[in-house]
Amino acid sequence: MDSIYQHFRPDEKEFIDQVLAWKQYVEDAYAPELTDFLDPRMQRIVNTVTGNHDAVSVRAFGGYRESERKRMLLFPDYFSPDEEDFHLALFEVHYPAKFVSFEHKHVLGSLMALGLKREKFGDILIGEGRIQFFAAAELSDFIQMEFRQIGKTPVTLTKMQLGEAIGQQQRWLEKQATVSSLRLDAILSAVYNISRQKTRMLIEHGLVKVNWKTVEDPAFQCGEGDTFSTRGYGRSRLIRVEGKTKKEKWRMVAGILK
């Protein structure tokens, strides 16, 4: 059991235990288990913990091909899942686009104000004056009844078919760099071409998230697949670590979301 935990960070132990419990349920009850919406880091943990297990398989779906946040279905060998088994709902928000504009944070803040956990909502899609979001289908009635405004602007909702989702083709610009260590401040300094002092200030002021969690320790050790969100600089990702140079520095490839 300890061998599973050693692949992840100490603060992820609670979620790993949850995944193990889901896996055990599927084995014991011989029935599928559906998760809430998980971020990519959580999805990676689920895939790693379940592994190539004959008795338990896993699939992920978030409503459209490029979705970032997805619900995951753990299921026994007899089960053949389809899209309906993920219980997803897609809503379009109608608002006076000629007079106001909203960013992702405005929509998410208003959804969270309903008193629901972040895990009950999937991706929020914004484009060409349109706003859509995915949610857990079991909460559809509640959301349609309670979601009435973004900020102070009144809005209405229409439930859509999943195939009507706004296309969100993300583009990641790859960047090769060499860093002295895999510390968070060193990674961000190389990715954004800013000084280590500047990155330390951003981190210590709570302006940096790693895998969707605020990290305030500049010495935080990063690993392949980590996603960073830095206030004022956007989102980036440590795609892979390619080993050390002769001078004992790390070669890495990062991605910057365009």
Side-chain angles (χ1 to χ4, degrees):
M1 190 67 68
D2 290 340
S3 62
I4 295 176
Y5 298 116
Q6 71 184 12
H7 296 294
F8 302 100
R9 301 185 177 105
D11 65 340
E12 294 172 327
K13 181 180 183 300
E14 184 177 350
F15 182 67
I16 294 168
D17 289 341
Q18 178 65 73
V19 177
L20 290 169
W22 290 333
K23 183 165 169 269
Q24 191 65 51
Y25 170 80
V26 175
E27 291 178 353
D28 294 346
Y30 206 48
E33 176 73 12
L34 180 64
T35 75
D36 284 333
F37 287 95
L38 306 180
D39 64 45
R41 175 69 180 182
M42 290 176 165
Q43 295 167 35
R44 182 181 174 199
I45 291 174
V46 173
N47 284 321
T48 301
V49 172
T50 54
N52 296 317
H53 198 281
D54 291 338
V56 179
S57 298
V58 62
R59 296 263 182 87
F61 185 53
Y64 67 114
R65 190 163 59 89
E66 295 88 7
S67 55
E68 181 175 271
R69 301 178 64 84
K70 301 175 183 177
R71 299 189 85 168
M72 300 191 80
L73 190 69
L74 290 77
F75 56 94
D77 51 14
Y78 76 88
F79 193 81
S80 180
D82 55 32
E83 289 186 1
E84 287 73 25
D85 294 308
F86 289 89
H87 298 294
L88 304 176
L90 173 65
F91 291 100
E92 177 135 3
V93 183
H94 301 284
Y95 66 102
K98 289 184 178 180
F99 305 104
V100 292
S101 62
F102 297 115
E103 297 177 16
H104 184 283
K105 62 183 179 182
H106 301 134
V107 183
L108 178 58
S110 296
L111 288 171
M112 296 296 288
L114 299 180
L116 299 173
K117 296 189 301 180
R118 177 64 179 99
E119 291 80 7
K120 295 300 181 183
F121 301 104
D123 287 5
I124 296 170
L125 313 179
I126 299 178
E128 299 177 0
R130 298 174 67 192
I131 296 174
Q132 296 178 340
F133 64 88
F134 292 94
E138 57 268 25
L139 295 172
S140 292
D141 291 344
F142 174 81
I143 293 169
Q144 284 188 293
M145 184 169 56
E146 298 294 333
F147 191 66
R148 300 291 188 184
Q149 60 188 53
I150 298 177
K152 296 181 179 179
T153 303
V155 301
T156 58
L157 292 181
T158 299
K159 197 170 182 181
M160 312 288 285
Q161 298 296 316
L162 297 185
E164 297 176 293
I166 302 169
Q168 294 280 299
Q169 195 72 36
Q170 291 187 338
R171 285 201 312 116
W172 292 86
L173 176 66
E174 288 197 3
K175 177 179 181 177
Q176 294 182 321
T178 303
V179 291
S180 57
S181 75
L182 297 178
R183 286 170 47 121
L184 180 58
D185 57 351
I187 298 288
L188 295 184
S189 176
V191 170
Y192 297 118
N193 290 325
I194 54 179
S195 69
R196 288 279 288 271
Q197 182 180 1
K198 174 72 171 178
T199 59
R200 280 195 292 271
M201 184 186 73
L202 291 168
I203 295 164
E204 291 170 353
H205 282 76
L207 302 179
V208 174
K209 291 184 178 180
V210 181
N211 301 323
W212 297 269
K213 293 181 182 178
T214 300
V215 173
E216 298 181 355
D217 179 11
F220 180 89
Q221 290 295 304
C222 303
E224 287 188 349
D226 282 349
T227 297
F228 315 107
S229 178
T230 307
R231 185 84 58 84
Y233 292 88
R235 187 180 297 181
S236 57
R237 179 180 293 164
L238 179 54
I239 296 174
R240 60 184 178 274
V241 178
E242 298 183 328
K244 286 189 173 181
T245 66
K246 292 180 180 179
K247 295 184 178 180
E248 291 296 297
K249 291 193 173 185
W250 291 98
R251 288 192 301 269
M252 70 168 196
V253 178
I256 302 172
L257 185 62
K258 302 305 289 181

